[in-house]
Amino acid sequence: AIELAKRDRSMMIEKQSIHRESSRAHLIALVSQVDADGDGVISKDEFFSALQEEGVQEFMDALGIDPDNAAEAFLLLDSDGDGMIQLMEFVQGMEKIRGEAKGVDIQMLLLHTRKIIDMLNGIQGIQSSLVARIPVHPTAVPRKTRNRWDEPQVPHVPPSPKRVP
């Protein structure tokens, strides 16, 4: 039974490896289709132009990437933020973003979000303690400073009594 389980696990790993390699080959083929000028780099214009082609749209659909999210997909694929997508950026990025989110993806997102919230709370606590240390002069009364948008201060003059001739 243990031997059978080992063999099943090995077959599953081999199957995943073959699938991964096949997927990478398809992604590399997609890069050559999207890279209109053949320089090995996908510009923003090339990316969005290629998305107008039916074959590219079908390929993106097959990978589970909605063409309506093209701008976000480009930002995710451009991992170094230079406005261009290199071959490896494209392949690695597409492998990460294709398909539906897995439970582990969502849990990692929640974990990172909690860490960010904790850091922000820490910063807020530091800021509050620093503000509390600022000495306040007891006679200091904040004065309103006027600016050019304030209404002019016209002194109130009571109406004068009517004179009867």
Side-chain angles (χ1 to χ4, degrees):
I2 295 175
E3 196 62 37
L4 183 62
K6 284 181 183 178
R7 221 174 330 141
D8 286 346
R9 192 176 4 195
S10 296
M11 288 177 61
M12 184 177 71
I13 292 169
E14 184 178 337
K15 186 177 178 182
Q16 285 177 340
S17 178
I18 291 170
H19 177 71
R20 189 177 306 116
E21 290 304 316
S22 172
S23 177
R24 283 188 179 158
H26 288 298
L27 290 171
I28 291 170
L30 180 61
V31 168
S32 64
Q33 191 174 358
V34 173
D35 182 18
D37 60 7
D39 64 354
V41 177
I42 301 171
S43 69
K44 211 177 240 186
D45 291 337
E46 287 175 323
F47 185 78
F48 288 104
S49 294
L51 287 176
Q52 304 306 313
E53 298 174 24
E54 190 173 329
V56 174
Q57 286 180 4
E58 290 171 356
F59 196 87
M60 298 290 265
D61 279 342
L63 291 172
I65 298 169
D66 187 349
D68 292 337
N69 297 333
E72 292 84 1
F74 186 87
L75 291 172
L76 289 170
L77 294 172
D78 182 19
S79 61
D80 62 5
D82 66 354
M84 307 292 274
I85 302 173
Q86 311 295 322
L87 172 66
M88 286 312 297
E89 281 181 313
F90 186 81
V91 172
Q92 290 172 347
M94 291 296 272
E95 287 176 342
K96 288 179 185 175
I97 67 173
R98 70 175 179 195
E100 299 295 322
K102 298 175 193 151
V104 69
D105 297 327
I106 294 168
Q107 293 303 316
M108 289 301 293
L109 183 60
L110 287 171
L111 175 68
H112 290 295
T113 303
R114 282 189 210 114
K115 285 182 178 182
I116 291 169
I117 289 170
D118 289 345
M119 287 183 349
L120 289 173
N121 286 337
I123 291 170
Q124 186 178 19
I126 292 169
Q127 183 256 347
S128 295
S129 68
L130 291 174
V131 168
R133 292 181 185 175
I134 298 174
V136 178
H137 194 277
T139 60
V141 177
R143 290 187 289 159
K144 181 179 186 279
T145 57
R146 290 180 34 100
N147 61 42
R148 62 181 171 169
W149 295 281
D150 285 339
E151 302 232 354
Q153 297 293 323
V154 178
H156 177 68
V157 179
S160 57
K162 291 186 181 180
R163 291 189 188 179
V164 185

